[in-house]
Amino acid sequence: MNKISNFYINPKISYGENSLLSLKDFGFTRVCIATDRFMVESKLICKITDILDKNNIDYHIFDEITPDPSTEIIEKGLSHIVNLKPHALIAVGGGSVIDAAKAIMYFCIQLKKNFIEENKIDKPYFIAIPTTAGTGSEVTNFSVITDTNTKSKIPLTNDIMLPDEAILDPILTVSVPKSVTAATAMDVLTHGIESYISINSNIFSQMYALKSIELIGSNLLKCFNDLHNTKYRNSLQIASCMAGISFNSSGLGITHSIAHGLGSSFHLPHGLCNAIVLPYIIEFNGRDAKTREKYIRILEAMGASNINSNMSTVILKELIIELNKALEIPLDLRSLNIDKKQFDAIVSNLAQTAYKDICTSTNPVSVSINDLEDLIRSLY
Ligand SMILES: [Fe+2]
């Protein structure tokens, strides 16, 4: 019997300029905002709190979320939720903030399960408002937090963490600096490409992946050169969201497996790691005929035509390299001033971590630890 295929689509997505105004009609009177200090100090949070003030909605701000949120931060956030019993939790920030809010939501429900029957648990309405266009975390059901004691990453996957609503208002992303705009958008492009060629890709995930690739192809450079343009900004937010919907269903590949280890070992931004690793993995996965065919569709989404499968790998790889150059992203790890000895000392560990990474299981070409070690070495 054939395997039954599923594709889930959630949450409600509000997008475009002024989409934040949808907060005024959401019908809750007591909310908790989860965010970071920067959002409060830069007063960017006022774009949200002004709307809540005008509509007499009580709110409390938990602003202690830091990058790579730890279990300690999650516990603190959880105590706020448990004490305040808000009708809604609004996460406002980048991927780390949204991931932390998801984990807070997850542990809140787990905690309540100890005392209340599952079907009687009141789950706060969960709204995710991303302030970068990159992770797609607002539409995925997983989160990564860091164990405070062991410093290891804890991946969580549960539909409880899928937001009920995502709001993509470009007013929150226009002040994102050039380098962050470039790196986060390259994360989106990597999501689109890895999701499209994943062994678990399907007709729905492929449609979202290709559209996200197309949106990045036609808006990223324009946005990079015109940072305050809300039309380009919103297109990148929508691309990020679509790529998130896509990889939530299909999974990713070894660009991410390698980037995860590099990011935590050398404290590098996730999108920057993906941008550097992606061309090498495009070449590696190009040994698979089906993937080479898919590269043609990816290139078409990015505006190329008349490509055949013999050329598709080289052309896609070159296109990503040229895009990185235009975005002022270095092409190798050497250019990031990473110490060669320090790098050589951890290559084998990086390869083992990448091998065990969840994203490796959906890569279109199966890899050995040796393959990964060779690939990681070539990045320097
Ligand atoms: Fe990513």
Side-chain angles (χ1 to χ4, degrees):
M1 202 165 78
N2 283 341
K3 189 176 139 229
I4 297 170
S5 304
N6 296 302
F7 185 81
Y8 296 90
I9 180 143
N10 235 355
K12 171 186 171 185
I13 298 164
S14 303
Y15 60 97
E17 254 184 277
N18 297 320
S19 51
L20 279 177
L21 288 174
S22 63
L23 286 172
K24 72 183 171 70
D25 318 304
F26 76 163
F28 300 111
T29 52
R30 190 172 66 241
V31 306
C32 182
I33 297 173
T35 189
D36 57 29
R37 288 262 155 79
F38 169 77
M39 288 298 296
V40 175
E41 282 164 10
S42 66
K43 298 206 169 16
L44 214 50
I45 201 73
C46 298
K47 307 268 182 215
I48 285 114
T49 53
D50 285 354
I51 297 170
L52 302 180
D53 282 331
K54 272 188 199 143
N55 292 279
N56 300 317
I57 298 167
D58 270 350
Y59 58 85
H60 168 83
I61 301 177
F62 170 64
D63 66 354
E64 292 175 52
I65 301 174
T66 52
D68 300 321
S70 63
T71 40
E72 200 181 348
I73 301 279
I74 307 305
E75 276 172 39
K76 275 192 188 172
L78 185 59
S79 73
H80 284 254
I81 294 280
V82 170
N83 292 326
L84 291 161
K85 300 184 182 56
H87 305 134
L89 172 64
I90 307 179
V92 188
S96 291
V97 165
I98 296 175
D99 269 15
K102 283 170 159 180
I104 292 168
M105 183 63 92
Y106 174 77
F107 289 112
C108 170
I109 302 300
Q110 296 305 322
L111 195 69
K112 286 184 178 178
K113 275 186 190 167
N114 293 330
F115 309 102
I116 309 169
E117 275 178 61
E118 199 168 342
N119 57 0
K120 289 187 182 147
I121 291 177
D122 250 351
K123 176 181 173 278
Y125 190 75
F126 185 18
I127 303 174
I129 306 180
T131 56
T132 55
T135 63
S137 186
E138 69 276 13
V139 288
T140 65
N141 64 357
F142 47 83
S143 164
V144 181
I145 54 172
T146 304
D147 188 308
T148 311
N149 298 321
T150 63
K151 303 281 173 240
S152 59
K153 302 268 177 192
I154 310 169
L156 300 170
T157 309
N158 196 297
D159 283 343
I160 286 170
M161 296 190 290
L162 189 66
D164 298 295
E165 186 168 345
I167 303 178
L168 314 175
D169 193 321
I171 198 72
L172 293 171
T173 58
V174 286
S175 54
V176 175
K178 237 179 174 185
S179 61
V180 181
T181 303
T184 48
M186 287 307 289
D187 186 27
V188 177
L189 183 59
T190 311
H191 293 158
I193 292 175
E194 294 214 286
S195 170
Y196 188 68
I197 63 174
S198 150
I199 57 163
N200 279 353
S201 76
N202 53 71
I203 190 161
F204 292 99
S205 70
Q206 289 178 8
M207 179 189 75
Y208 281 104
L210 281 184
K211 191 66 193 178
S212 76
I213 293 167
E214 184 193 314
L215 284 169
I216 291 292
S218 50
N219 292 281
L220 174 52
L221 285 176
K222 289 182 194 161
C223 187
F224 187 70
N225 293 308
D226 185 4
L227 293 175
H228 284 86
N229 186 308
T230 49
K231 192 174 142 272
Y232 301 147
R233 286 288 190 185
N234 201 220
S235 297
L236 298 188
Q237 288 175 301
I238 293 168
S240 169
C241 184
M242 286 183 167
I245 294 171
S246 180
F247 80 77
N248 198 40
S249 164
S250 63
L252 293 164
I254 58 171
T255 309
H256 268 80
S257 309
I258 295 173
H260 287 151
L262 287 177
S264 51
S265 300
F266 298 106
H267 306 289
L268 297 169
H270 171 69
L272 176 69
C273 296
N274 275 325
I276 294 172
V277 179
L278 184 61
Y280 297 83
I281 306 307
I282 286 172
E283 184 175 8
F284 178 83
N285 285 335
R287 62 184 67 182
D288 173 57
K290 252 190 186 168
T291 302
R292 288 197 298 276
E293 285 297 321
K294 284 185 172 177
Y295 285 168
I296 299 175
R297 304 283 94 77
I298 290 170
L299 283 161
E300 285 168 353
M302 297 184 84
S305 54
N306 296 323
I307 311 284
N308 65 47
S309 68
N310 291 330
M311 316 138 60
S312 63
T313 303
V314 177
I315 295 177
L316 184 57
K317 182 185 171 188
E318 278 311 309
L319 193 143
I320 302 298
I321 288 173
E322 288 309 312
L323 190 53
N324 278 343
K325 284 184 192 165
L327 295 169
E328 297 158 20
I329 289 176
L331 303 180
D332 50 44
L333 297 177
R334 183 190 305 259
S335 317
L336 293 173
N337 295 324
I338 290 174
D339 180 67
K340 178 80 165 79
K341 271 193 187 149
Q342 197 196 347
F343 174 73
D344 285 341
I346 63 160
V347 167
S348 154
N349 268 346
L350 286 172
Q352 286 174 41
T353 313
Y355 187 72
K356 285 185 253 164
D357 193 289
I358 180 92
C359 299
T360 301
S361 62
T362 42
N363 195 64
V365 176
S366 61
V367 283
S368 64
I369 294 186
N370 279 344
D371 292 331
L372 288 162
E373 203 169 318
D374 290 345
L375 280 165
I376 294 167
R377 243 177 247 291
S378 67
L379 296 171
Y380 195 85

